[in-house]
Amino acid sequence: MGSKALFFFLALLSLSLVCLTPAFAQDEETDAKPAGLVMNFYKDSCPQAEDIITEQVKLLYKRHKNTAFSWLRNIFHDCAVQKSCDASLLLDSTRRSLSEKETDRSFGLRNFRYLDTIKEAVERECPGVVSCADILVLSGRDGIVALGGPHIPLKTGRRDGRKSRAEILEQYLPDHNESMSVVLERFASIGIDTPGVVALLGSHSVGRTHCVKLVHRLYPEVDPALNPNHVEHMLHKCPDSIPDPNAVQYVRNDRGTPMVLDNNYYRNILDNKGLLIVDHQLATDKRTKPYVKKMAKSQDYFFKEFGRAITILSENNPLTGTQGEIRQQCNVANKHH
């Protein structure tokens, strides 16, 4: 993905001035030096921002449990792409550009409207101050907690991008059928090492996989690598060799604790119950298997590496300082006259 971004931390006074600057855009491709990310970036400009986001996540999760899966997945899809963590994922399609949300790599992403709900709550308190990019990352952080995962302290100060990067997604986001070498290389390019990759894929402990993404392991013949005791359940959930992508046909990633982010995923894939090719490879590749075994034995170790990897991912080359803008609505770039 190119060289790692260099983050320069400004003095407290300068940060305050940046926070209070109106949300006018500057082309994110300029050479303006980024101000950098810091803890509690909004402590002066919007002291209640993080509390509002956390409270909204709790309320929305109470009503719609599957929102937490979406928030967690959003971090990966927004932050692993060039000029990342800029909420470009949230932009709707226009006449000139396709939304990242509508690409094959983003298949199954949903619940974006709930990010709009959080944005509206924050805007009522502090209009034009808090970026959609920070809301995306912090809702992911709080979604992890809602799922029983660790609280991960994350920095803020991201700015919002103005354009979709749909045309380059496949260069950065590994697919579920990629080789383990490709997966490791893609993550290494943003500073995430092998145990970090193994931990991030532990996100497959929660949520579900649509039949579209796994029928190739069932039809025309069952993948012999699959645990026979698990195949019956998969065939029951995915009875069609060509499933309707719009139909509600899916298999829970973890039948034991489907709503809990835990290390049961690693025990499952060691038992050949991983749904995706990447899950199977993770448990069998000599580079990753030792970490899979270690995480299967220790949830503390899993959480430690998961928190470290999420932190690196969330700080991957964001727009900061005077770059980008603070969107008024997360699904559209601001209009400038």
Side-chain angles (χ1 to χ4, degrees):
M1 184 182 289
S3 60
K4 300 177 182 176
L6 298 176
F7 300 122
F8 298 93
F9 294 88
L10 296 181
L12 181 61
L13 176 61
S14 298
L15 283 173
S16 300
L17 290 173
V18 170
C19 294
L20 296 172
T21 300
F24 298 121
Q26 179 171 339
D27 191 317
E28 50 260 57
E29 305 302 331
T30 66
D31 294 327
K33 291 183 179 181
L37 302 177
V38 295
M39 289 294 182
N40 203 11
F41 180 84
Y42 300 105
K43 67 182 183 342
D44 295 322
S45 58
C46 189
Q48 300 302 314
E50 293 200 29
D51 289 340
I52 292 170
I53 293 169
T54 297
E55 184 61 27
Q56 286 294 313
V57 166
K58 288 179 180 177
L59 289 172
L60 289 165
Y61 179 69
K62 188 175 181 179
R63 298 172 192 162
H64 314 282
K65 298 293 186 185
N66 63 354
T67 54
F69 313 144
S70 302
W71 293 324
L72 173 54
R73 194 176 171 194
N74 287 343
I75 295 181
F76 169 67
H77 281 262
D78 195 55
C79 293
V81 183
Q82 179 192 50
K83 292 289 184 184
S84 58
C85 287
D86 66 347
S88 60
L89 172 67
L90 306 181
L91 291 170
D92 289 341
S93 290
T94 66
R95 285 177 294 177
R96 295 182 179 180
S97 66
L98 177 70
S99 170
E100 294 174 31
K101 295 180 286 189
E102 297 181 25
T103 64
D104 181 64
R105 282 291 194 273
S106 299
F107 179 82
L109 285 177
R110 54 177 62 83
N111 294 321
F112 296 110
R113 64 187 183 278
Y114 298 127
L115 283 174
D116 295 335
T117 301
I118 299 172
K119 171 69 169 175
E120 290 165 6
V122 174
E123 286 291 301
R124 287 193 291 270
E125 178 73 17
C126 310
V129 174
V130 181
S131 68
C132 296
D134 276 339
I135 290 173
L136 182 152
V137 167
L138 294 179
S139 64
R141 175 199 67 183
D142 294 337
I144 289 167
V145 173
L147 292 167
H151 174 76
I152 307 168
L154 296 179
K155 296 176 182 178
T156 44
R158 297 166 191 81
R159 305 269 291 180
D160 299 323
R162 291 184 48 78
K163 63 182 181 180
S164 164
R165 302 190 186 280
E167 73 280 2
I168 61 170
L169 286 189
E170 293 191 6
Q171 298 175 35
Y172 295 96
L173 299 180
D175 193 29
H176 60 94
N177 288 325
E178 303 272 21
S179 70
M180 187 50 59
S181 292
V182 169
V183 173
L184 293 175
E185 286 168 8
R186 295 277 175 89
F187 281 107
S189 70
I190 57 176
I192 298 177
D193 58 15
T194 300
V197 173
V198 175
L200 279 181
L201 285 170
S203 298
H204 292 176
S205 166
V206 294
R208 59 196 188 184
T209 298
H210 198 286
C211 292
V212 165
K213 296 296 184 181
L214 55 85
V215 287
H216 61 284
R217 301 194 72 192
L218 300 174
Y219 303 98
E221 297 179 351
V222 173
D223 184 342
L226 284 168
N227 186 317
N229 294 326
H230 201 50
V231 169
E232 184 178 356
H233 174 70
M234 293 172 68
L235 288 169
H236 173 71
K237 291 291 186 178
C238 301
D240 304 313
S241 59
I242 306 177
D244 179 357
N246 297 313
V248 184
Q249 291 184 310
Y250 60 86
V251 181
R252 289 285 182 189
N253 290 338
D254 178 357
R255 294 174 66 189
T257 55
M259 301 294 292
V260 181
L261 181 66
D262 59 15
N263 65 336
N264 200 42
Y265 164 75
Y266 301 103
R267 290 189 286 270
N268 283 338
I269 63 175
L270 287 170
D271 195 25
N272 295 318
K273 293 180 180 178
L275 299 181
L276 301 173
I277 292 293
V278 71
D279 299 325
H280 173 68
Q281 291 185 118
L282 199 69
T284 56
D285 190 284
K286 64 181 181 181
R287 294 164 292 184
T288 53
K289 187 173 182 177
Y291 299 109
V292 170
K293 286 184 170 182
K294 192 170 181 179
M295 291 181 196
K297 292 178 180 178
S298 172
Q299 181 147 289
D300 287 342
Y301 176 65
F302 163 45
F303 280 177
K304 174 188 171 185
E305 292 297 330
F306 184 77
R308 186 173 65 86
I310 287 289
T311 299
I312 295 171
L313 188 59
S314 73
E315 296 178 9
N316 176 36
N317 198 25
L319 300 176
T320 58
T322 57
Q323 298 173 312
E325 65 183 15
I326 304 297
R327 279 185 222 145
Q328 296 172 355
Q329 295 177 258
C330 290
N331 63 324
V332 291
N334 295 342
K335 293 181 180 179
H336 300 281
H337 301 287

